[in-house]
């Protein structure tokens, strides 16, 4: 029996080959998506941490007004974008440390502001149990997933 120039057997073989290729391609696509999210996470963490470090350096150098009860780390991630006054500048111009706060690529809630997609660790918080506090010493993803390298994303 011929259907549109193909025998039924040829049609079944074609469908089987397409199904086999689809079962191979789907896991590869998922792996590619995960790899892309991991690269975005790595880049976002590096960008935010560089901004935090730059803020702390300017605080140590006296460019940011100091207070005895402060650690020198920004009080929030938004400070890195909003900027702070440079007290060593004659015009007291503003210094900015980030153009924008990147979103956590593993946070599914798109309604949250970018700063709220991250877990924040205060300076006085222990590394094995990060807690928010009066400043932002470090950031981490809130995802409980594990990376392709076997390390939980929270530990990156």
């Amino acid at each position: 029996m011929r259907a549109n120039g193909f025998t039924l057997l040829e049609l079944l073989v074609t469908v089987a080959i397409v199904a086999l290729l689809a079962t191979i391609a789907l896991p590869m696509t998922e792996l590619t998506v995960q790899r892309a999210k991991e690269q975005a996470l790595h880049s976002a963490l590096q960008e935010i941490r560089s901004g935090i470090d730059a803020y702390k350096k300017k605080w140590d150098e006296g460019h940011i007004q100091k207070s005895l009860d402060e650690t020198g780390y920004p009080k929030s991630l938004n400070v890195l974008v909003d900027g702070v006054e440079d007290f060593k500048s004659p015009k007291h111009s503003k210094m900015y440390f980030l153009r924008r706060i990147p979103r956590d690529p593993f946070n599914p809630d798109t309604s949250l502001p970018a700063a709220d997609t991250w877990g924040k660790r205060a300076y006085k918080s222990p590394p094995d149990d990060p807690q928010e506090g009066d400043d932002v010493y470090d950031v981490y993803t809130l995802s409980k997933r594990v990376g392709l390298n076997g390390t939980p994303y929270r530990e990156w």
Side-chain angles (χ1 to χ4, degrees):
M1 174 182 246
R2 288 195 162 290
N4 293 335
F6 291 104
T7 66
L8 186 57
L9 181 59
E10 290 172 331
L11 190 58
L12 288 175
V13 168
T14 303
V15 169
I17 290 172
V18 169
L20 178 64
L21 290 173
T23 59
I24 293 170
L26 186 61
M28 292 296 287
T29 303
E30 290 172 355
L31 182 65
T32 301
V33 168
Q34 184 175 358
R35 228 181 242 140
K37 281 187 173 183
E38 286 187 1
Q39 288 174 341
L41 175 64
H42 179 73
S43 177
L45 287 170
Q46 187 175 18
E47 185 178 349
I48 294 170
R49 287 171 176 161
S50 292
I52 292 170
D53 291 346
Y55 181 98
K56 174 68 165 121
K57 182 178 180 190
K58 291 296 183 183
W59 189 85
D60 288 343
E61 293 171 350
H63 290 273
I64 299 172
Q65 187 173 16
K66 294 183 179 185
S67 149
L68 293 176
D69 62 339
E70 292 179 344
T71 61
Y73 291 98
K75 294 203 176 289
S76 72
L77 289 178
N78 290 324
V79 169
L80 301 174
V81 175
D82 297 340
V84 292
E85 191 175 331
D86 183 351
F87 283 92
K88 282 194 170 182
S89 165
K91 295 180 181 179
H92 291 277
S93 57
K94 270 194 162 184
M95 297 180 296
Y96 301 93
F97 303 94
L98 291 177
R99 290 178 186 227
R100 64 173 182 77
I101 300 168
R103 297 187 67 76
D104 179 347
F106 286 101
N107 192 311
D109 190 350
T110 57
S111 67
L112 288 174
D116 295 342
T117 63
W118 297 100
K120 296 155 198 85
R121 176 181 167 212
Y123 180 74
K124 294 178 182 176
S125 174
D128 56 341
D129 184 27
Q131 301 292 321
E132 289 193 37
D134 295 333
D135 58 18
V136 181
Y137 173 72
D138 194 16
V139 292
Y140 58 92
T141 183
L142 297 171
S143 175
K144 294 181 184 345
R145 294 176 60 183
V146 175
L148 293 172
N149 64 359
T151 305
Y153 292 132
R154 282 180 68 109
E155 295 177 13
W156 282 27

